[in-house]
Amino acid sequence: MTIDVFSSNNKIKRKTVEKWINNNLIPKADIEKDYIPDSARPPYTKARAKNANAIYVSMVKASYNRKHILPILYNICDDEFNNYVENLECAGFIKRRISDGITYYDATIKESNINNSFILNAIKAVSDGVTTALLNKIGA
């Protein structure tokens, strides 16, 4: 789709969309070609989380609101970002999907009735389960 169509569909100023493209916040978008993938979502620009708990909650809220999340939005490296995503997937809050060669993070049914403590408790339960299984395996 064109930048103007994306802007209109999402009720966002073209200048803002161009800024996002220049900052690599809309994957595979190209200003020169006036192109944005049909599957593109606006980036989650409210990603101001500064600690792990806040990052988990922010990522869930972003996917629930159909916004795109990227490591750069949280000022973290790809590995750390992927760890958060894997934990949220294991806890059942988000699901990865690839469209137009871009990985998106979709909301799950479980996510519709969430609050911060529910998310954090679920992440802790998944983490504790993995740790317990590992300790049991090594006989500790």
Side-chain angles (χ1 to χ4, degrees):
M1 80 178 88
T2 66
I3 295 169
D4 285 335
V5 168
F6 182 85
S7 297
S8 176
N9 288 351
N10 292 285
K11 298 174 179 57
I12 300 165
K13 293 179 185 175
R14 181 184 171 98
K15 254 187 169 173
T16 300
V17 174
E18 288 176 350
K19 179 180 161 191
W20 289 343
I21 294 169
N22 286 331
N23 289 327
N24 298 314
L25 299 180
I26 303 178
K28 300 200 177 192
D30 189 320
I31 288 179
E32 300 283 322
K33 295 178 183 174
D34 191 26
Y35 170 77
I36 295 181
D38 289 338
S39 64
R41 295 178 176 176
Y44 188 60
T45 56
K46 295 180 182 180
R48 309 239 187 316
K50 300 294 184 221
N51 63 51
N53 291 350
I55 290 171
Y56 281 123
V57 172
S58 175
M59 289 176 150
V60 171
K61 287 181 178 180
S63 65
Y64 186 74
N65 289 309
R66 298 193 69 250
K67 302 295 184 188
H68 193 59
I69 54 174
L70 302 150
I72 192 171
L73 295 170
Y74 295 95
N75 295 315
I76 58 178
C77 68
D78 289 351
D79 289 345
E80 185 178 1
F81 179 83
N82 290 330
N83 185 56
Y84 283 110
V85 168
E86 287 171 19
N87 288 337
L88 288 169
E89 267 191 312
C90 286
F93 288 109
I94 62 174
K95 177 100 174 116
R96 276 184 248 217
R97 173 180 56 85
I98 298 175
S99 182
D100 295 323
I102 303 164
T103 302
Y104 293 101
Y105 308 94
D106 294 335
T108 64
I109 294 169
K110 182 176 188 176
E111 185 182 355
S112 62
N113 290 319
I114 52 118
N115 61 41
N116 295 4
S117 63
F118 181 76
I119 293 169
L120 299 176
N121 286 333
I123 296 296
K124 183 180 180 323
V126 168
S127 177
D128 288 350
V130 170
T131 302
T132 300
L134 180 62
L135 291 173
N136 288 340
K137 177 107 175 141
I138 62 172

